[in-house]
Each structure stands twice: as structure tokens, then as C-alpha cells.
Amino acid sequence: MLVVMQTGAPEQQVKDVCERIEALGFEAHPIFGAFKTVIGVTGDTRRLDVGSLESLPGVAECIIIGKPYKLVSREFKKEDTVLSIPTPLGDVKFGGEHVGMIAGPCAVETREQAFAIAAPLALAGVKLFRGGAYKPRTSPYSFQGLAVPGLEILSAIRDKFGMGIVTEAVDNEGVDHVERYADVIQIGARNMQNYSLLKRAGRAHKPVMLKRGLSATLDELLMAAEYIASEGNTQIMLCERGVRTFADHSRNTLDLAIVPAAKALSHLPIIADPSHGTGQRRKVLPLARAAIAVGADGLMIEVHNAPDRAMSDGVQSILPAEFTQLREECDAIAHVLKRSLN
Ligand code: PEP
Ligand code: MN
């Protein structure tokens, strides 16, 4: 952090500010210019109350240079984190040269529906099956998910097809259940800043897929990931799922520029969800291709056997046969980038 003194601030004020910085447990490094003095502050300045320095006599402003997140930052760990999810069908990897795939319906509706979708996806090579048993719906009157019976259906799919399970927890109690059944705990967009839930996920013993909030900046997303990591769980993947913009040609705007931006600041893998990111079935394939081309470490795709009858997100769900095409094309694009889809 830099403390910029007012033009012409007397030396005694600079001395007082330096003393205050050191009394707070940091080091002060004054640099005297012709007109202005700037004081560099070193130490773990994340814990420093900027306001307490800004109010000292002679201080013009404080400039924060370092990022407030640490464990998830690229400065902390230079190499890409490769997240490896063990499943009965083998490990699924996200990051480095690996591009992971997650597919399945928005929600688990019935055992028949979930099995009818899981069977062709297993044939198409999917090793991580998604499906919500707890649904965070905009309306309290919409289908909220089957809860534990839904988790039991997912568990039966794991037993039958060998696919690992990705499913959402919407509250702390839900994490207790989801942790028992799932291979990856999903934290949804609406809960990205639910700090108590993030801390609970940070104490879980399963990897976490953290979705970007509907209007969250990259820094906010990384701070949310830091909450999870700071509790001890560093098995995290980020997920771009579209944000709200003025554009009205799609439900959300899939912000693919966040992929290289996140990789510059963080070592964590970042995947893309073109299903929620566009909200329209016909846009899922082109945006999935683009996500792989831009360097995403994985995809999450909503697939339904009867999208017109789906209890949630049918309009953005593709058919299993369409998924097979998507997978093939994305794999081909990944190969151009010397990566492979798994
Ligand atoms: C979902 O994955 O079905 C979901 C509800 O996603 P999001 O939290 O991104 O809206
Ligand atoms: Mn959905």
C-alpha cells in the first residue's frame, strides 16, 4: 500500500504517519519527492484499516496495490492448479492441459428422467453428471428440487453408470447432505457471496465448483474463492455462468473475457457454463466452442431428454444427441490448443 502525503506536508507529519504505521505492526518506507512525499507500507496490509491512516493530518490518500486475496492468487502459486476429481470411471481433470466436462439436467425430477439422461451421457463419455436436488429458484412457487430423495437418485446414477456427481448446496445444512453424496459441491451464482455457506464449503472434504454471481466482478469472485480456501479447502474451480447486462438477445451475457483475466490473477481452473450463460438452446453449442477456444478449463452443459417438459431450465437444455456433437467439436478445438477433453 502507498500513503500519499499532501503537497508540502511538513516533515513532522510524515514522521508521525510513519510512526503510526510502525505502531500498527507494518514497515514504513518514506520516499521524499520535490513536492510530495509517498510512504510505502509493507507487511500483510490486508488487515490494515485504510481509513485510520487516511484520517491522519497531512495524508492525501491511500492507494492499495496488492490484491486482497492471497491463497487463490497467482502470486501465491505460479503453476496452474490441476483439479483432479476421482470417479469410478477414472479421474476427471480441470486445468493445465486438461479440459473437464460436466453434463446433466438442471434438476433431478424423477428417477426415470435422471436415468434417461444419464444413460446417453455415459455413452458419450461423460464422467461427471450434474443435476440439482436443491434448486435456488427466482420464484418461491417454482420447483425447489427433490432434496435428499434427489441426492439418492444421483447416488443410484453413480452406482449404475460410474459417473461422479456434481450437485448444488444452497445452505449450510444442504452441504452436510451434498457432501455425503456428491463428488463436487456446487455453489450457485445467487450464493456466491453467502459467506457462511462459503466457509462451510471451505470445511468440506469435497472439491467445490464456485459459480460467478449475477453481477460479480472478477475480484469479488476471487474473494469468494478465498473464503473457501481460507478455511482449508483449496480444491476449487471457478465457473463463468454469465452476468446481467443491457443485452437483451440472451438471458445473460457469457463473459468469456473473464477466462484469460482470471488465469492472469489466479492459479485456479475456470470453467464455462454456456447453458445459463445464454439461456437459449441454440446458443449453447457456439458459446461452448468459444469457451474452449478462449482457454476455459472445462464446460458445464445442461442436457435433458425432454426439454419441453423440463421442470427447470428446459429452454436452455440441449438433447443428448446434440450433446454428443458438442463434445466432439469441443474436443477437436481443445486438441488445436494441445489440450484434451476428459
Ligand atoms: C444451475 O447450475 O442449475 C444453476 C442454478 O446455476 P446458477 O447458480 O449459475 O444460476
Ligand atoms: Mn439450471
Side-chain angles (χ1 to χ4, degrees), residues 315-337:
V315 286
Q316 66 195 34
S317 299
I318 61 171
L319 290 163
E322 293 167 328
F323 174 80
T324 304
Q325 181 199 348
L326 179 149
R327 197 184 187 291
E328 279 170 16
E329 293 189 10
C330 288
D331 192 32
I333 296 169
H335 273 98
V336 173
L337 300 170

Side-chain angles (χ1 to χ4, degrees), residues 190-205:
R190 288 157 193 80
N191 272 317
M192 192 206 83
Q193 285 179 314
N194 179 339
Y195 299 118
S196 135
L197 181 62
L198 295 174
K199 286 193 206 168
R200 173 65 187 88
R203 292 190 295 273
H205 299 282

Side-chain angles (χ1 to χ4, degrees), residues 161-200:
F161 300 103
M163 291 188 281
I165 300 299
V166 181
T167 194
E168 179 166 356
V170 295
D171 51 29
N172 292 17
E173 195 196 342
V175 180
D176 298 343
H177 298 300
V178 166
E179 194 179 15
R180 237 174 288 133
Y181 291 91
D183 298 276
V184 178
I185 303 166
Q186 175 173 327
I187 303 286
R190 288 157 193 80
N191 272 317
M192 192 206 83
Q193 285 179 314
N194 179 339
Y195 299 118
S196 135
L197 181 62
L198 295 174
K199 286 193 206 168
R200 173 65 187 88

Side-chain angles (χ1 to χ4, degrees), residues 22-55:
E22 306 216 325
L24 289 167
F26 302 94
E27 279 173 47
H29 311 270
I31 307 155
F32 296 95
F35 304 103
K36 260 187 199 270
T37 299
V38 173
I39 306 166
V41 185
T42 55
D44 187 359
T45 54
R46 289 172 305 166
R47 293 184 200 291
L48 185 57
D49 173 18
V50 174
S52 73
L53 291 182
E54 264 175 351
S55 57

Side-chain angles (χ1 to χ4, degrees), residues 33-103:
F35 304 103
K36 260 187 199 270
T37 299
V38 173
I39 306 166
V41 185
T42 55
D44 187 359
T45 54
R46 289 172 305 166
R47 293 184 200 291
L48 185 57
D49 173 18
V50 174
S52 73
L53 291 182
E54 264 175 351
S55 57
L56 293 176
V59 172
E61 62 170 332
C62 293
I63 303 172
I64 297 165
I65 301 172
K67 290 289 180 190
Y69 41 85
K70 183 177 164 196
L71 303 173
V72 304
S73 74
R74 191 59 92 176
E75 284 153 21
F76 183 74
K77 182 170 176 272
K78 291 228 162 352
E79 324 75 56
D80 287 343
T81 287
V82 179
L83 191 59
S84 187
I85 320 278
T87 78
L89 290 175
D91 295 351
V92 185
K93 293 186 177 161
F94 297 84
E97 64 203 39
H98 311 280
V99 179
M101 178 61 86
I102 303 168

Side-chain angles (χ1 to χ4, degrees), residues 105-107 130 135 211 251 273 275-276 302 312-313 316:
C106 181
R130 66 144 289 153
K135 294 306 304 175
K211 300 190 88 174
R251 176 179 170 193
D273 168 2
S275 305
H276 295 86
E302 284 191 340
S312 68
D313 287 346
Q316 66 195 34

Side-chain angles (χ1 to χ4, degrees), residues 133-154:
Y134 300 94
K135 294 306 304 175
R137 303 304 298 281
T138 304
S139 163
Y141 309 115
S142 301
F143 176 58
Q144 303 285 313
L146 299 178
V148 173
L151 294 175
E152 282 164 356
I153 294 170
L154 289 169

